[in-house]
């Protein structure tokens, strides 16, 4: 049995410039899909996969993320006084337990690889999950849980992948696929943000990883890659010479909420998935669309 994965890292230091002005004073991870912040989806997914320690790599102006995962006594008392017991129970369910969260800061925006490296002391010498909160999944069970099932058989490093339109490969990390089924195939190489003609496949790294701690030593070399940033993909491409990397083409679909289109699509699809909203939302949208096309 491989070492159990107990810790998850959430890089939440990004500036969110693609969502200005919404993200001028508010972290992009607090943008909501329907009524839950992006970061809450990632934490829920990690929890479902058995994670017990939640490590947030934050930056300046990210204090409300820490507040979001804390109790809010005034709010709790008010809900209680008003008899809103269901809302109160929902709020409490979302929280990691006392002592399960850790926060550290990425002091400079030097890239995803550097953000992960900033978590090294909190993670220590054990495997860990990495979840990029911009990426929100419609998947059951959750993507990290599906990857854990593979990890229990293979150990090593696991990367969740999904197909992307070949014209969009240059926005992502892309893997080269070796032998094995969708539930666990050998990854033979990977490249960060390739041009379409250089991409080894159309399988993109969609923001969920299980990694071995040896990655930290490679990240500490801090070589700059695509976009002048310290890239996680480049460190993994070196580690692959010494350790197994297994790809999981999971059941489900990602919404890239780091882009406006992905974010808007996620809001529509997640609202349509909600029993309390699906019907009235469908009606509101079709009325609105008809109204607009009628020039009203
Ligand atoms: C990062 C990773 C990339 C991955 C992507 C998923 O890129 O470097 O490999 O495909 O996240 O969102 P970024 O979005 O930070 O440019």
């Amino acid at each position: 049995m491989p070492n159990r994965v107990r810790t998850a890292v959430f890089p939440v230091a990004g500036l969110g410039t693609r969502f200005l002005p919404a993200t001028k004073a508010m972290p992009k991870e607090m943008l909501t899909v329907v009524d839950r912040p992006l970061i809450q989806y990632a934490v829920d997914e990690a929890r479902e996969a058995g994670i017990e320690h939640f490590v947030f790599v934050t930056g300046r102006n990210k204090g409300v993320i820490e507040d979001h995962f804390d109790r809010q006594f005034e709010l709790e008392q008010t809900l209680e006084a008003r008899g809103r017991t269901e809302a109160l129970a929902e709020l409490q369910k979302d929280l990691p337990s006392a002592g399960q969260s850790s926060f550290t800061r990425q002091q400079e925006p030097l890239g995803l690889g550097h953000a992960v490296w900033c978590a090294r002391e909190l993670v220590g010498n054990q495997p860990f999950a990495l979840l990029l909160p911009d990426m929100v999944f419609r998947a059951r069970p959750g993507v990290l849980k599906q990857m854990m099932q593979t990890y229990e058989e293979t150990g090593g490093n696991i990367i969740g992948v999904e197909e992307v339109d070949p014209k969009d490969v240059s926005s992502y990390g892309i893997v080269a696929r070796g032998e094995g089924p969708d539930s666990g195939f050998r990854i033979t190489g990977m490249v960060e943000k390739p041009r379409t003609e250089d991409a080894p496949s159309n399988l993109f790294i969609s923001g969920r990883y299980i990694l071995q701690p040896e990655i930290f030593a490679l990240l500490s070399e801090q070589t700059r890659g695509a976009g002048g940033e310290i890239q996680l993909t480049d460190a993994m491409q070196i580690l692959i010479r010494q350790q197994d990397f297994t790809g999981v083409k999971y059941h489900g679909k990602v919404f890239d909420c780091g882009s406006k289109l992905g974010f808007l699509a996620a809001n529509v699809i997640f609202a349509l998935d909600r029993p309390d909203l699906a019907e009235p939302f469908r009606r509101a949208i079709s009325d609105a669309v008809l109204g607009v096309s009628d020039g009203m």
Side-chain angles (χ1 to χ4, degrees):
M1 278 285 274
N3 278 351
R4 203 161 95 70
V5 181
R6 295 184 52 252
T7 299
V9 174
F10 303 86
V12 291
L15 295 174
T17 49
R18 280 192 277 179
F19 279 91
L20 284 169
T23 49
K24 190 175 164 199
M26 181 187 76
K28 67 172 172 171
E29 296 78 12
M30 293 302 292
L31 291 170
T32 52
V33 170
V34 186
D35 51 11
R36 299 173 80 69
L38 297 179
I39 187 65
Q40 185 76 54
Y41 286 93
V43 164
D44 292 347
E45 184 186 333
R47 229 219 237 109
E48 179 203 8
I51 294 298
E52 294 164 357
H53 181 200
F54 304 82
V55 174
F56 299 88
V57 181
T58 75
R60 282 177 289 282
N61 294 329
K62 301 283 183 165
V64 298
I65 295 178
E66 205 163 331
D67 294 340
H68 178 74
F69 290 108
D70 195 2
R71 307 263 316 256
Q72 232 275 38
F73 288 107
E74 202 179 311
L75 178 62
E76 289 176 17
Q77 271 168 10
T78 309
L79 289 174
E80 185 142 24
R82 291 183 184 166
R84 302 273 315 273
T85 40
E86 238 174 73
L88 186 59
E90 277 294 311
L91 273 188
Q92 286 169 347
K93 182 170 75 50
D94 292 343
L95 291 185
S97 304
Q100 282 192 321
S101 313
S102 303
F103 297 84
T104 187
R105 279 197 180 198
Q106 183 187 24
Q107 294 157 328
E108 290 172 87
L110 296 179
L112 176 61
H114 179 258
V116 173
W117 180 74
C118 289
R120 69 198 179 285
E121 297 294 342
L122 291 168
V123 172
N125 190 26
Q126 53 164 341
F128 63 100
L130 171 66
L131 298 94
L132 310 189
D134 282 0
M135 307 303 264
V136 174
F137 294 84
R138 185 167 181 258
R140 210 167 275 147
V143 168
L144 188 62
K145 184 162 184 178
Q146 294 182 41
M147 290 166 60
M148 285 289 194
Q149 285 160 359
T150 300
Y151 174 79
E152 275 157 27
E153 287 160 29
T154 62
N157 302 271
I158 312 279
I159 300 183
V161 299
E162 191 171 321
E163 280 180 6
V164 65
D165 189 322
K167 74 174 173 19
D168 293 329
V169 291
S170 62
S171 300
Y172 299 107
I174 305 292
V175 305
R177 180 172 182 162
E179 78 284 1
D182 283 355
S183 60
F185 59 86
R186 178 175 285 277
I187 292 177
T188 55
M190 56 197 108
V191 51
E192 184 65 19
K193 302 193 172 73
R195 295 184 305 179
T196 304
E197 54 274 33
D198 299 330
S201 77
N202 69 336
L203 293 176
F204 85 105
I205 301 174
S206 60
R208 297 294 181 271
Y209 313 72
I210 297 171
L211 295 169
Q212 297 298 321
E214 286 74 19
I215 197 76
F216 291 125
L218 297 167
L219 289 171
S220 74
E221 289 168 21
Q222 309 203 326
T223 329
R224 306 285 177 120
E229 295 190 339
I230 296 168
Q231 295 290 354
L232 175 64
T233 306
D234 295 346
M236 296 194 297
Q237 171 63 25
I238 299 173
L239 190 57
I240 207 172
R241 296 184 206 135
Q242 297 146 31
Q243 294 186 353
D244 285 345
F245 275 76
T246 302
V248 173
K249 191 160 169 270
Y250 48 78
H251 299 284
K253 179 178 162 39
V254 72
F255 291 87
D256 182 351
C257 293
S259 82
K260 280 177 195 146
L261 282 181
F263 176 73
L264 292 170
N267 268 290
V268 171
I269 298 297
F270 279 62
L272 291 174
D273 275 348
R274 282 263 298 256
D276 57 330
L277 288 174
E279 265 321 299
F281 182 56
R282 203 181 295 273
R283 251 180 282 123
I285 287 280
S286 64
D287 289 354
V289 171
L290 283 178
V292 170
S293 57
D294 285 351
M296 287 159 68

PDB file of all heavy atoms in Angstrom, residues 220-234:
ATOM      1  N   SER A 220      13.025  23.710  -5.911  1.00  0.00           N
ATOM      2  CA  SER A 220      13.926  24.647  -5.234  1.00  0.00           C
ATOM      3  C   SER A 220      15.019  25.122  -6.181  1.00  0.00           C
ATOM      4  O   SER A 220      15.660  26.142  -5.933  1.00  0.00           O
ATOM      5  CB  SER A 220      14.521  24.019  -3.985  1.00  0.00           C
ATOM      6  OG  SER A 220      15.479  23.080  -4.368  1.00  0.00           O
ATOM      7  N   GLU A 221      15.217  24.410  -7.286  1.00  0.00           N
ATOM      8  CA  GLU A 221      16.206  24.895  -8.269  1.00  0.00           C
ATOM      9  C   GLU A 221      15.675  26.107  -9.025  1.00  0.00           C
ATOM     10  O   GLU A 221      16.425  26.860  -9.629  1.00  0.00           O
ATOM     11  CB  GLU A 221      16.602  23.765  -9.218  1.00  0.00           C
ATOM     12  CG  GLU A 221      17.453  22.748  -8.468  1.00  0.00           C
ATOM     13  CD  GLU A 221      17.661  21.462  -9.233  1.00  0.00           C
ATOM     14  OE1 GLU A 221      17.506  21.475 -10.472  1.00  0.00           O
ATOM     15  OE2 GLU A 221      17.975  20.456  -8.581  1.00  0.00           O
ATOM     16  N   GLN A 222      14.336  26.253  -9.025  1.00  0.00           N
ATOM     17  CA  GLN A 222      13.697  27.479  -9.473  1.00  0.00           C
ATOM     18  C   GLN A 222      14.112  27.965 -10.859  1.00  0.00           C
ATOM     19  O   GLN A 222      14.383  29.141 -11.072  1.00  0.00           O
ATOM     20  CB  GLN A 222      13.931  28.595  -8.453  1.00  0.00           C
ATOM     21  CG  GLN A 222      13.552  28.139  -7.049  1.00  0.00           C
ATOM     22  CD  GLN A 222      13.221  29.277  -6.129  1.00  0.00           C
ATOM     23  OE1 GLN A 222      13.809  30.332  -6.235  1.00  0.00           O
ATOM     24  NE2 GLN A 222      12.265  29.076  -5.247  1.00  0.00           N
ATOM     25  N   THR A 223      14.172  27.036 -11.805  1.00  0.00           N
ATOM     26  CA  THR A 223      14.452  27.447 -13.176  1.00  0.00           C
ATOM     27  C   THR A 223      13.191  28.056 -13.779  1.00  0.00           C
ATOM     28  O   THR A 223      12.103  27.535 -13.580  1.00  0.00           O
ATOM     29  CB  THR A 223      14.843  26.211 -14.025  1.00  0.00           C
ATOM     30  OG1 THR A 223      15.498  25.294 -13.151  1.00  0.00           O
ATOM     31  CG2 THR A 223      15.731  26.551 -15.178  1.00  0.00           C
ATOM     32  N   ARG A 224      13.346  29.149 -14.520  1.00  0.00           N
ATOM     33  CA  ARG A 224      12.179  29.780 -15.149  1.00  0.00           C
ATOM     34  C   ARG A 224      11.789  29.037 -16.425  1.00  0.00           C
ATOM     35  O   ARG A 224      12.667  28.641 -17.197  1.00  0.00           O
ATOM     36  CB  ARG A 224      12.459  31.242 -15.518  1.00  0.00           C
ATOM     37  CG  ARG A 224      12.959  32.088 -14.370  1.00  0.00           C
ATOM     38  CD  ARG A 224      11.819  32.407 -13.419  1.00  0.00           C
ATOM     39  NE  ARG A 224      12.331  33.155 -12.277  1.00  0.00           N
ATOM     40  CZ  ARG A 224      11.925  34.394 -11.952  1.00  0.00           C
ATOM     41  NH1 ARG A 224      10.998  34.993 -12.655  1.00  0.00           N
ATOM     42  NH2 ARG A 224      12.431  35.001 -10.901  1.00  0.00           N
ATOM     43  N   GLY A 225      10.482  28.894 -16.638  1.00  0.00           N
ATOM     44  CA  GLY A 225      10.009  28.217 -17.846  1.00  0.00           C
ATOM     45  C   GLY A 225       9.078  29.107 -18.638  1.00  0.00           C
ATOM     46  O   GLY A 225       9.296  30.327 -18.721  1.00  0.00           O
ATOM     47  N   ALA A 226       7.993  28.499 -19.184  1.00  0.00           N
ATOM     48  CA  ALA A 226       7.033  29.229 -20.015  1.00  0.00           C
ATOM     49  C   ALA A 226       6.574  30.501 -19.295  1.00  0.00           C
ATOM     50  O   ALA A 226       6.320  30.477 -18.098  1.00  0.00           O
ATOM     51  CB  ALA A 226       5.829  28.340 -20.332  1.00  0.00           C
ATOM     52  N   GLY A 227       6.485  31.594 -20.022  1.00  0.00           N
ATOM     53  CA  GLY A 227       6.011  32.868 -19.465  1.00  0.00           C
ATOM     54  C   GLY A 227       6.952  33.456 -18.432  1.00  0.00           C
ATOM     55  O   GLY A 227       6.569  34.340 -17.666  1.00  0.00           O
ATOM     56  N   GLY A 228       8.196  32.946 -18.351  1.00  0.00           N
ATOM     57  CA  GLY A 228       9.164  33.468 -17.373  1.00  0.00           C
ATOM     58  C   GLY A 228       8.846  33.052 -15.947  1.00  0.00           C
ATOM     59  O   GLY A 228       9.400  33.593 -14.994  1.00  0.00           O
ATOM     60  N   GLU A 229       7.936  32.069 -15.777  1.00  0.00           N
ATOM     61  CA  GLU A 229       7.531  31.656 -14.433  1.00  0.00           C
ATOM     62  C   GLU A 229       8.175  30.325 -14.038  1.00  0.00           C
ATOM     63  O   GLU A 229       8.581  29.545 -14.909  1.00  0.00           O
ATOM     64  CB  GLU A 229       6.005  31.490 -14.390  1.00  0.00           C
ATOM     65  CG  GLU A 229       5.275  32.791 -14.610  1.00  0.00           C
ATOM     66  CD  GLU A 229       3.788  32.669 -14.335  1.00  0.00           C
ATOM     67  OE1 GLU A 229       3.258  31.536 -14.370  1.00  0.00           O
ATOM     68  OE2 GLU A 229       3.171  33.716 -14.072  1.00  0.00           O
ATOM     69  N   ILE A 230       8.238  30.083 -12.734  1.00  0.00           N
ATOM     70  CA  ILE A 230       8.720  28.792 -12.245  1.00  0.00           C
ATOM     71  C   ILE A 230       7.563  27.811 -12.393  1.00  0.00           C
ATOM     72  O   ILE A 230       6.526  27.953 -11.743  1.00  0.00           O
ATOM     73  CB  ILE A 230       9.204  28.919 -10.788  1.00  0.00           C
ATOM     74  CG1 ILE A 230      10.409  29.875 -10.760  1.00  0.00           C
ATOM     75  CG2 ILE A 230       9.571  27.544 -10.229  1.00  0.00           C
ATOM     76  CD1 ILE A 230      10.806  30.330  -9.382  1.00  0.00           C
ATOM     77  N   GLN A 231       7.727  26.864 -13.303  1.00  0.00           N
ATOM     78  CA  GLN A 231       6.609  26.006 -13.711  1.00  0.00           C
ATOM     79  C   GLN A 231       6.659  24.663 -13.003  1.00  0.00           C
ATOM     80  O   GLN A 231       7.684  23.975 -13.011  1.00  0.00           O
ATOM     81  CB  GLN A 231       6.638  25.785 -15.232  1.00  0.00           C
ATOM     82  CG  GLN A 231       6.399  27.046 -16.049  1.00  0.00           C
ATOM     83  CD  GLN A 231       4.958  27.548 -15.950  1.00  0.00           C
ATOM     84  OE1 GLN A 231       4.081  26.898 -15.356  1.00  0.00           O
ATOM     85  NE2 GLN A 231       4.703  28.713 -16.519  1.00  0.00           N
ATOM     86  N   LEU A 232       5.527  24.262 -12.455  1.00  0.00           N
ATOM     87  CA  LEU A 232       5.410  22.926 -11.863  1.00  0.00           C
ATOM     88  C   LEU A 232       5.631  21.841 -12.921  1.00  0.00           C
ATOM     89  O   LEU A 232       6.304  20.842 -12.671  1.00  0.00           O
ATOM     90  CB  LEU A 232       4.010  22.778 -11.241  1.00  0.00           C
ATOM     91  CG  LEU A 232       3.684  21.405 -10.674  1.00  0.00           C
ATOM     92  CD1 LEU A 232       4.598  21.069  -9.503  1.00  0.00           C
ATOM     93  CD2 LEU A 232       2.219  21.330 -10.251  1.00  0.00           C
ATOM     94  N   THR A 233       5.070  22.073 -14.101  1.00  0.00           N
ATOM     95  CA  THR A 233       5.177  21.060 -15.165  1.00  0.00           C
ATOM     96  C   THR A 233       6.645  20.744 -15.474  1.00  0.00           C
ATOM     97  O   THR A 233       7.007  19.593 -15.699  1.00  0.00           O
ATOM     98  CB  THR A 233       4.442  21.542 -16.439  1.00  0.00           C
ATOM     99  OG1 THR A 233       3.105  21.893 -16.072  1.00  0.00           O
ATOM    100  CG2 THR A 233       4.398  20.470 -17.510  1.00  0.00           C
ATOM    101  N   ASP A 234       7.497  21.764 -15.478  1.00  0.00           N
ATOM    102  CA  ASP A 234       8.918  21.530 -15.785  1.00  0.00           C
ATOM    103  C   ASP A 234       9.567  20.649 -14.721  1.00  0.00           C
ATOM    104  O   ASP A 234      10.364  19.760 -15.035  1.00  0.00           O
ATOM    105  CB  ASP A 234       9.673  22.866 -15.870  1.00  0.00           C
ATOM    106  CG  ASP A 234       9.189  23.726 -17.038  1.00  0.00           C
ATOM    107  OD1 ASP A 234       8.485  23.188 -17.910  1.00  0.00           O
ATOM    108  OD2 ASP A 234       9.515  24.935 -17.060  1.00  0.00           O
TER     109      ASP A 234
END
